[in-house]
Coordinates of all heavy atoms in Angstrom, one line a residue:
K52 N 97.4 99.8 89.7 CA 98.3 100.1 90.8 C 99.3 101.1 90.3 O 99.8 101.0 89.2 CB 99.1 98.8 91.2 CG 98.2 97.7 91.7 CD 99.0 96.5 92.1 CE 98.1 95.4 92.6 NZ 98.8 94.2 93.0
Q53 N 99.5 102.2 91.1 CA 100.3 103.3 90.7 C 100.8 104.1 91.8 O 100.3 104.0 92.9 CB 99.6 104.2 89.7 CG 98.4 104.9 90.3 CD 97.6 105.7 89.2 OE1 97.7 105.3 88.0 NE2 96.9 106.7 89.7
S54 N 101.8 104.9 91.6 CA 102.3 105.9 92.6 C 101.3 107.0 92.7 O 100.7 107.3 91.7 CB 103.7 106.5 92.2 OG 104.6 105.5 92.1
H55 N 101.1 107.5 93.9 CA 100.1 108.6 94.0 C 100.7 109.9 93.5 O 101.8 110.3 93.9 CB 99.7 108.7 95.5 CG 98.5 109.6 95.7 ND1 98.6 111.0 95.6 CD2 97.3 109.3 96.0 CE1 97.4 111.5 95.8 NE2 96.6 110.5 96.1
S56 N 100.0 110.6 92.7 CA 100.5 111.8 92.1 C 100.8 112.9 93.1 O 101.5 113.9 92.8 CB 99.6 112.3 91.0 OG 98.3 112.6 91.6
G57 N 100.2 112.9 94.3 CA 100.4 113.9 95.3 C 101.7 113.7 96.0 O 102.1 114.6 96.8
D58 N 102.4 112.7 95.8 CA 103.7 112.4 96.5 C 104.8 112.4 95.4 O 104.9 111.4 94.7 CB 103.6 111.1 97.2 CG 104.9 110.8 98.0 OD1 105.9 111.5 97.8 OD2 104.9 109.7 98.7
K59 N 105.5 113.5 95.4 CA 106.6 113.6 94.3 C 107.7 112.6 94.5 O 108.5 112.4 93.5 CB 107.1 115.1 94.3 CG 106.0 116.1 94.0 CD 105.3 115.8 92.7 CE 104.2 116.8 92.5 NZ 103.2 116.4 91.6
T60 N 107.9 112.0 95.7 CA 108.9 111.0 95.8 C 108.6 109.7 95.2 O 109.4 108.8 95.0 CB 109.2 110.7 97.3 OG1 108.1 110.0 97.9 CG2 109.5 112.0 98.1
G61 N 107.3 109.5 94.9 CA 106.8 108.2 94.3 C 106.7 107.1 95.3 O 106.4 105.9 94.9
K62 N 106.8 107.4 96.6 CA 106.8 106.3 97.6 C 105.4 106.0 98.0 O 105.1 104.9 98.6 CB 107.6 106.7 98.8 CG 109.1 106.7 98.4 CD 110.0 107.0 99.7 CE 111.4 107.0 99.3 NZ 112.3 107.4 100.4
S63 N 104.4 106.9 97.8 CA 103.0 106.6 98.2 C 102.3 105.9 97.0 O 102.5 106.3 95.9 CB 102.3 107.9 98.5 OG 102.9 108.5 99.6
K64 N 101.6 104.8 97.3 CA 101.0 104.0 96.3 C 99.5 103.9 96.4 O 98.9 104.0 97.5 CB 101.6 102.6 96.3 CG 103.1 102.5 96.3 CD 103.7 102.9 95.0 CE 105.2 102.8 95.0 NZ 105.8 103.3 93.9
T65 N 98.8 103.6 95.3 CA 97.4 103.3 95.3 C 97.1 102.0 94.5 O 97.8 101.8 93.6 CB 96.5 104.5 94.7 OG1 96.9 104.7 93.4 CG2 96.6 105.7 95.5
D66 N 96.2 101.3 95.0 CA 95.7 100.1 94.3 C 94.2 100.2 94.2 O 93.5 100.1 95.2 CB 96.1 98.9 95.2 CG 95.7 97.5 94.6 OD1 95.0 97.5 93.6 OD2 96.1 96.5 95.2
T67 N 93.8 100.5 93.0 CA 92.4 100.8 92.7 C 91.7 99.9 91.8 O 92.3 99.5 90.8 CB 92.3 102.3 92.2 OG1 93.0 103.1 93.0 CG2 90.9 102.8 92.1
T68 N 90.4 99.6 92.0 CA 89.6 98.9 91.1 C 88.5 99.9 90.7 O 87.8 100.4 91.5 CB 89.0 97.6 91.7 OG1 90.0 96.8 92.1 CG2 88.1 96.9 90.7
Y69 N 88.3 100.1 89.4 CA 87.3 101.0 88.8 C 86.2 100.2 88.2 O 86.5 99.2 87.5 CB 88.0 101.9 87.7 CG 89.0 102.8 88.2 CD1 90.4 102.5 88.1 CD2 88.7 104.0 88.8 CE1 91.4 103.3 88.6 CE2 89.7 104.9 89.3 CZ 91.0 104.5 89.2 OH 92.0 105.4 89.6
F70 N 85.0 100.7 88.3 CA 83.8 100.2 87.7 C 83.2 101.3 86.8 O 82.8 102.3 87.4 CB 82.8 99.7 88.7 CG 83.3 98.6 89.5 CD1 84.1 98.8 90.7 CD2 83.0 97.2 89.2 CE1 84.6 97.8 91.5 CE2 83.5 96.2 90.0 CZ 84.3 96.5 91.1
Y71 N 83.2 101.1 85.5 CA 82.7 102.2 84.6 C 81.2 101.9 84.3 O 80.9 101.0 83.6 CB 83.5 102.1 83.3 CG 85.0 102.4 83.5 CD1 85.9 101.4 83.7 CD2 85.4 103.7 83.6 CE1 87.3 101.7 84.0 CE2 86.8 104.0 83.9 CZ 87.7 103.0 84.1 OH 89.0 103.3 84.3
L72 N 80.4 102.8 84.9 CA 79.0 102.6 84.8 C 78.4 103.2 83.5 O 79.0 104.1 82.9 CB 78.3 103.3 86.0 CG 78.9 102.8 87.4 CD1 78.2 103.6 88.5 CD2 78.8 101.3 87.5
P73 N 77.2 102.7 83.0 CA 76.7 103.1 81.7 C 76.4 104.5 81.6 O 76.4 105.1 80.5 CB 75.4 102.2 81.6 CG 75.5 101.1 82.6 CD 76.5 101.6 83.7

Side-chain angles (χ1 to χ4, degrees):
K52 294 180 182 182
Q53 62 187 25
S54 297
H55 193 286
S56 61
D58 181 354
K59 301 304 178 198
T60 70
K62 292 181 180 178
S63 298
K64 308 291 183 187
T65 58
D66 179 352
T67 308
T68 302
Y69 297 97
F70 297 85
Y71 298 94
L72 307 179

